[in-house]
Amino acid sequence: MRVIVVKLLETLIVALFATAAYATPPNVLVILIDDMGYSDPSFMGGEVATPAIDRLAGEGVRFTQCYNSARCCPSRASLMTGLYPHQAGIGSFTSSRPDPKGPAYLGRLNDECVTIAEVLRPAGYRTYMVGKWHMGDPGPIARGFDEFYGFVHGYEQDQWEPSRYERLPEGRTPELAFDRFYATDAFTEYALEFIHQARAANEAGEDKPWFLYLAHSAAHFPVQAPKETVDELVEAYRAGWDELRRARFERMQALGLADDTWTFTERSVVPVDRDDIANGYSGEPNPAWSTLPADRREDLARRMAIYAAMLTHADRGLARIIADLEAGGELDNTIIFLMSDNGACYEWGPFGFDGPSREGVTKLHTGDELETMGGPGTYHAYGSAWANLCNTPLRMYKHFTYEGGNCTPMVVHWPTGSFESRWERTPVHVMDILPTIADACGAAYPDVREGRATTPVEGTSLMPLLRGGSIADRPIASEHNGARSLRHGDWKAVWPERMPWEQTWELYNIADDRTETRNVAGEHPEIAESLAAEWTAWAARCKVYPVYDHRVYERRPEIAGRALVIEATIKLPTQTESGVIVAQGGSTHGYALYLDRGRLVFCTRREGELTTTPPYTLGATGAQLRAMLDADGLMTLFVDREPVAQVEGGLIPAEPAEPLDIGADEGTAVGTYDAPSALRGEVSHVSVNGQRFEREAAGAHSER
């Protein structure tokens, strides 16, 4: 009985803490560091001190298996929307012109996703952003942010050039001026400025919590930093990547991060590429430090010191933000997330590059040139061997779906949330951040955005996990430029890309082999095949090319709030066929024209409510069909121009998230059939409000 009472008290205490945490909505601070490697922060084993990050880590929950999307903009899209990046429209990279591979490669956030800012602003939050947007047009103001300072276009900018950065919305007068402009420091200043603006508004009586997204461009190339900071750090890197990798791993073991399931890996290979791009090491392991000439080692030590200096400035800025929140009495009830967008950046060979990417130029700096590296007017990258150090002891780098590419540390800090400070080894994903914030803040994820149905959130709230509980096991998938992975439970399947070995599904037991050193696909082919099948199903659902070919599937006539005329001609093998003739949308919004054992049905969904015409027995193997939804919501079904069924319905209020399908319904079912409900026979002359669609272009489903 005593044990039961104690357990009940523990449950009550947890519930009371939860109630207290939710009673006053927290401020929210999300900090994203660009291209920071797995073991770069000192709390993860790095050799350069990051005391501010370490403080958050020491007082918060330290996630050791936070997955991302292996590259900057897909990860940012996923973090910001709670979806896989393909679902948000940025499966590969940002672009002003959609990629013909399909809707997952739109090149910007699509109209069916919502951002954290768009979730929090209706819940009464002020919304601020500082730094690197990198999610395409129309930019942060149109996607829910009240105030912005940083750069909207491009994936990198000169840290020393203030003209590259802007204050939005248009017409805002910049509040700050800088004697010496350095972007990472300027981002800190504007983060503080926005916090002060929110605080002043609250003191004036407009009591609202705030959300601030601080998206650093440090330490993405070009690596640039103040010389005095670089000079403080360069000596450490003269030891070289081999010695430093071993020292990092030993610190990780001493910290309790790495246990006996972690193997110290060999130097990773340089991905297959042009010889000039790969510095002559295409498909070969990064070289041993000791084999390099002294002048090359000095050049490389300087490059890495500049990178480390960028992280140092980001950390010093964080220290100022923490101190300001503490002084303002806001730190305890500010939930802070800190992470990297992907693993460290290998681009492109062990010696790095100079000048615009992919031009194949790598300069060896000597003498006085070393002193100017990282300063105004320079452009450097630090290369694959240093990136291998940054990801110690994980394999590979950004762009790839081995752990070194798509797994980074994450810290969550919220004293009011009553989290126990600890290492948390449950696999999570950056798409979990939005639902976690919504949960903590009591904000609702909308079903509709600007008249279009939204894609349901894919991530899961981490609040139960943060409070010491658990979350449901689920697969976590990834794809970037052909590299693939799927993590489910202890197992991870990886499909490599641009490696000097055969491309096939590899299999790793992460619980026993954290650093992916033993491919056991040959020992467990059934597990490898099962995970590969899970990945393929995910890819079809999330419209990942080439599993999903939009030329077959993707059609989106606009139907929200409109009268509709849907026409089709069918020829069937028998009079008792069942299957979908044409459908657009799914279980929330949409319409479908289908057969149920020879009976013709026209139906619509409005906010999930199903309206269906009385079924009409076709009694023939061919017919010209028309389904009409008039402006008053009356639904009428015609066969060979004769009306055969009618019902009162209503206009569909929002654009459905799922596209038009012909001959089957590849998404969720609009009607009472079991999707996809493929129809045998021919479906032709399909049109919606006069817009023609061909089955060959929209999906010959029954013939696949």
Side-chain angles (χ1 to χ4, degrees):
M1 177 62 73
R2 182 176 181 275
V3 172
I4 294 173
V5 171
V6 169
K7 288 293 184 183
L8 286 172
L9 285 172
E10 289 176 352
T11 302
L12 179 61
I13 289 168
V14 170
L16 287 171
F17 273 130
T19 301
Y22 288 96
T24 303
N27 299 317
V28 180
L29 173 59
V30 175
I31 302 169
L32 189 66
I33 300 182
D34 202 341
D35 288 359
M36 181 176 72
Y38 188 80
S39 59
D40 278 333
S42 46
F43 85 91
M44 294 290 289
E47 61 284 328
V48 174
T50 53
I53 295 175
D54 293 354
R55 174 180 174 181
L56 296 182
E59 298 172 358
V61 180
R62 305 178 296 279
F63 286 84
T64 68
Q65 298 185 66
C66 178
Y67 287 93
N68 54 61
S69 300
R71 199 173 184 186
C72 307
C73 50
S75 292
R76 289 161 196 264
S78 189
L79 183 159
M80 193 52 48
T81 66
L83 303 172
Y84 283 111
H86 305 80
Q87 295 172 305
I90 308 181
S92 178
F93 207 66
T94 54
S95 174
S96 59
R97 301 178 64 183
D99 192 301
K101 290 188 294 187
Y105 307 92
L106 181 64
R108 62 169 176 82
L109 294 182
N110 62 34
D111 296 329
E112 290 79 41
C113 67
V114 292
T115 68
I116 298 172
E118 289 171 320
V119 170
L120 291 184
R121 190 156 66 178
Y125 275 73
R126 295 187 179 88
T127 57
Y128 305 98
M129 181 180 170
V130 176
K132 172 178 172 177
W133 173 245
H134 204 199
M135 288 178 281
D137 287 327
I141 300 303
R143 296 308 306 237
F145 287 94
D146 299 323
E147 309 291 340
F148 171 82
Y149 176 80
F151 63 101
V152 174
H153 300 105
Y155 61 88
E156 48 80 21
Q157 291 292 354
D158 189 328
Q159 291 266 332
W160 296 107
E161 181 47 65
S163 65
R164 301 289 183 89
Y165 304 87
E166 59 183 328
R167 179 73 171 87
L168 296 175
E170 285 190 37
R172 284 282 194 272
T173 301
E175 296 89 344
L176 304 177
F178 302 92
D179 293 332
R180 181 183 75 168
F181 182 87
Y182 178 63
T184 299
D185 294 344
F187 290 169
T188 295
E189 297 294 345
Y190 262 102
L192 289 166
E193 170 65 23
F194 289 156
I195 291 170
H196 294 164
Q197 289 182 14
R199 190 176 295 153
N202 287 344
E203 290 171 353
E206 301 176 22
D207 193 17
K208 290 184 176 182
W210 50 260
F211 163 53
L212 170 61
Y213 173 40
L214 173 54
H216 277 293
S217 55
H220 194 289
F221 66 79
V223 289
Q224 297 172 316
K227 182 178 182 299
E228 62 271 19
T229 312
V230 177
D231 288 343
E232 295 171 9
L233 302 171
V234 69
E235 182 60 35
Y237 293 103
R238 290 184 175 123
W241 46 67
D242 292 319
E243 180 178 323
L244 292 173
R245 284 185 74 232
R246 175 60 69 178
R248 281 197 185 194
F249 187 61
E250 290 173 355
R251 280 192 295 272
M252 295 169 91
Q253 291 174 311
L255 289 165
L257 169 58
D259 57 27
D260 57 8
T261 67
W262 298 53
T263 300
F264 183 69
T265 52
E266 301 294 329
R267 289 185 298 273
S268 288
V269 301
V270 178
V272 174
D273 212 327
R274 284 176 12 214
D275 201 54
D276 59 337
I277 293 288
N279 304 144
Y281 287 87
S282 175
E284 299 179 15
N286 285 296
W289 181 259
S290 61
T291 65
L292 303 178
D295 55 358
R296 177 66 70 184
R297 294 199 300 267
E298 191 63 21
D299 170 278
L300 287 166
R302 198 82 189 178
R303 291 173 189 265
M304 185 59 189
I306 299 167
Y307 168 85
M310 297 179 84
L311 296 180
T312 297
H313 278 258
D315 186 78
R316 290 173 181 172
L318 176 58
R320 294 183 58 207
I321 293 169
I322 292 172
D324 185 86
L325 293 175
E326 203 162 30
E330 296 172 282
L331 181 62
D332 282 358
N333 201 31
T334 298
I335 183 168
I336 302 176
F337 297 80
L338 184 143
M339 74 228 70
S340 176
D341 54 356
N342 43 246
C345 179
Y346 81 99
E347 300 176 33
W348 297 102
F351 304 154
F353 66 89
D354 300 274
S357 178
R358 302 297 299 175
E359 290 192 357
V361 175
T362 302
K363 177 178 174 55
L364 175 62
H365 300 81
T366 59
D368 292 342
E369 295 174 323
L370 293 164
E371 300 299 312
T372 63
M373 290 179 73
T378 64
Y379 196 117
H380 315 292
Y382 63 97
S384 57
W386 284 129
N388 195 192
L389 164 71
C390 296
N391 290 333
T392 302
L394 305 181
R395 292 179 65 192
M396 304 307 293
Y397 337 83
K398 170 184 174 180
H399 290 266
F400 303 98
T401 54
Y402 292 102
E403 295 287 282
N406 73 343
C407 188
T408 49
M410 178 173 73
V411 171
V412 183
H413 179 275
W414 187 22
T416 300
S418 303
F419 304 157
E420 177 190 353
S421 179
R422 66 187 187 279
W423 296 110
E424 177 54 65
R425 302 180 190 274
T426 302
V428 300
H429 193 279
V430 294
M431 66 183 173
D432 299 331
I433 292 171
L434 181 150
T436 304
I437 289 172
D439 191 352
C441 299
Y445 186 88
D447 295 327
V448 177
R449 177 186 177 274
E450 296 184 354
R452 300 180 73 96
T454 59
T455 304
V457 69
E458 185 83 23
T460 188
S461 173
L462 302 179
M463 290 304 297
L465 190 61
L466 289 165
R467 296 193 187 282
S470 61
I471 57 174
D473 183 37
R474 57 184 167 152
I476 296 176
S478 183
E479 185 275 338
H480 183 67
N481 288 358
R484 311 167 185 174
S485 71
L486 187 127
R487 174 74 189 272
H488 200 164
D490 292 341
W491 296 96
K492 183 180 179 184
V494 178
W495 180 279
E497 184 71 13
R498 294 175 45 225
M499 295 295 111
W501 54 79
E502 180 186 1
Q503 288 185 188
T504 187
W505 281 106
E506 302 169 4
L507 180 67
Y508 301 94
N509 186 327
I510 301 298
D512 295 336
D513 178 21
R514 180 69 181 86
T515 56
E516 299 172 307
T517 60
R518 299 184 298 279
N519 175 14
V520 294
E523 300 169 36
H524 301 284
E526 72 289 350
I527 297 176
E529 291 169 9
S530 175
L531 294 184
E534 278 194 87
W535 184 90
T536 300
W538 166 81
R541 179 171 65 83
C542 293
K543 301 179 172 60
V544 178
Y545 182 84
V547 174
Y548 181 96
D549 187 340
H550 82 106
R551 293 168 300 180
V552 174
Y553 293 102
E554 185 65 14
R555 295 294 184 270
R556 291 182 185 273
E558 295 184 357
I559 65 173
R562 300 182 182 216
L564 299 176
V565 178
I566 301 119
E567 297 181 311
T569 299
I570 58 172
K571 291 183 180 179
L572 308 171
T574 72
Q575 294 182 14
T576 57
E577 293 296 325
S578 294
V580 171
I581 298 163
V582 57
Q584 182 181 356
S587 58
T588 303
H589 297 100
Y591 64 83
L593 183 62
Y594 66 97
L595 285 166
D596 177 11
R597 292 165 292 178
R599 296 176 298 174
L600 187 64
V601 177
F602 175 40
C603 69
T604 61
R605 289 271 186 181
R606 293 172 294 119
E607 303 290 351
E609 180 181 348
L610 177 65
T611 304
T612 302
T613 60
Y616 172 76
T617 300
L618 194 59
T621 58
Q624 292 180 342
L625 310 177
R626 174 182 289 182
M628 294 183 64
L629 173 65
D630 70 17
D632 295 323
L634 182 67
M635 298 167 57
T636 307
L637 184 58
F638 298 79
V639 175
D640 295 329
R641 300 184 181 180
E642 295 294 325
V644 297
Q646 197 169 70
V647 69
E648 293 287 343
L651 298 183
I652 297 166
E655 298 293 348
E658 298 174 25
L660 182 146
D661 290 318
I662 298 174
D665 187 347
E666 295 292 340
T668 58
V670 180
T672 57
Y673 51 85
D674 293 327
S677 191
L679 179 71
R680 295 194 308 157
E682 297 179 15
V683 182
S684 60
H685 301 97
V686 177
S687 67
V688 179
N689 287 354
Q691 184 179 356
R692 290 285 298 272
F693 300 94
E694 297 297 330
R695 187 174 185 184
E696 291 75 18
H701 304 275
S702 63
E703 293 149 14
R704 287 204 305 272

